[in-house]
Amino acid sequence: MIRVTSLSNLRKLEDSFDVTWIIARSVKNQMKDILQVQDLSPSYALLRKFKTLEDQGLWNDKSFDEEYLPDFIKEMAASDSVVKRLNELCRMDKEGKSVCLLCFCKDERECHRSIIGGILQGVGRNVVFDDPNADYSRYYGMYQEERKKVLDKR
């Protein structure tokens, strides 16, 4: 199982995990037993874009869907290290390990963790979100399209 949640929810979870990754660009304090995985985080440029939209009161479902989501998907598709990390998560799930993916975002719907989780859902991995009815698997098709473009250019 791959559990995708906010860092603030980690203490509320009763589960113990074999592996816990924080998918964040920067972490002020190293956390015991939590591995920082920057490969699955948005770039600094995309984080600045998000913060600007948020500061201007323009961050919402529309800006997420039309601006953030396509840019993050393109970043992920262009990175071979992302492919390796996604494969690593799939392998751990197949081996029966429980994995927790954390980030700092409060809103699961407008967060890069939903995109990553959706890609994993799309390849048939057992992904659990804070919202038990969440289905973000549509992100897998978007990722596959962008990845194909990257590979076709090579």
Side-chain angles (χ1 to χ4, degrees):
M1 171 200 57
I2 300 170
R3 179 73 162 95
V4 181
T5 191
S6 170
L7 182 63
S8 63
N9 289 339
L10 182 61
R11 288 179 181 78
K12 297 176 194 172
L13 298 175
E14 295 179 9
D15 300 342
S16 62
F17 300 97
D18 296 316
V19 179
T20 303
W21 287 1
I22 186 161
I23 48 178
R25 181 63 42 204
S26 64
V27 178
K28 291 181 183 172
N29 300 320
Q30 291 296 334
M31 293 168 268
K32 186 178 180 195
D33 300 327
I34 298 178
L35 178 65
Q36 180 182 355
V37 181
Q38 292 181 341
D39 307 52
L40 297 177
S41 303
S43 66
Y44 283 117
L46 192 53
L47 284 173
R48 279 192 302 277
K49 184 177 185 177
F50 156 73
K51 289 304 286 172
T52 300
L53 289 167
E54 187 179 57
D55 291 346
Q56 294 173 348
L58 301 173
W59 183 252
N60 53 39
D61 286 351
K62 184 178 179 185
S63 59
F64 176 82
D65 288 338
E66 294 177 5
E67 296 182 53
Y68 184 87
L69 174 62
D71 288 350
F72 186 61
I73 293 277
K74 284 177 186 171
E75 284 183 3
M76 291 183 66
S79 172
D80 290 335
S81 66
V82 166
V83 173
K84 288 177 186 173
R85 289 295 190 174
L86 293 173
N87 287 338
E88 187 176 355
L89 288 167
C90 290
R91 179 188 49 76
M92 286 188 282
D93 184 52
K94 283 180 185 177
E95 291 172 354
K97 291 185 178 178
S98 61
V99 180
C100 186
L101 296 181
L102 303 170
C103 76
F104 294 108
C105 302
K106 292 181 178 105
D107 183 357
E108 176 178 282
R109 158 72 179 92
E110 297 173 352
C111 175
H112 65 285
R113 73 175 183 261
S114 66
I115 300 167
I116 295 164
I119 292 168
L120 294 168
Q121 277 181 320
V123 294
R125 301 296 19 116
N126 180 18
V127 182
V128 177
F129 295 94
D130 293 336
D131 175 356
N133 299 314
D135 180 3
Y136 301 114
S137 60
R138 70 183 177 101
Y139 299 145
Y140 175 68
M142 298 168 73
Y143 171 77
Q144 284 295 91
E145 285 178 35
E146 288 300 323
R147 186 71 182 158
K148 184 178 180 334
K149 289 177 190 176
V150 168
L151 295 175
D152 287 348
K153 287 180 183 178
R154 290 184 179 171

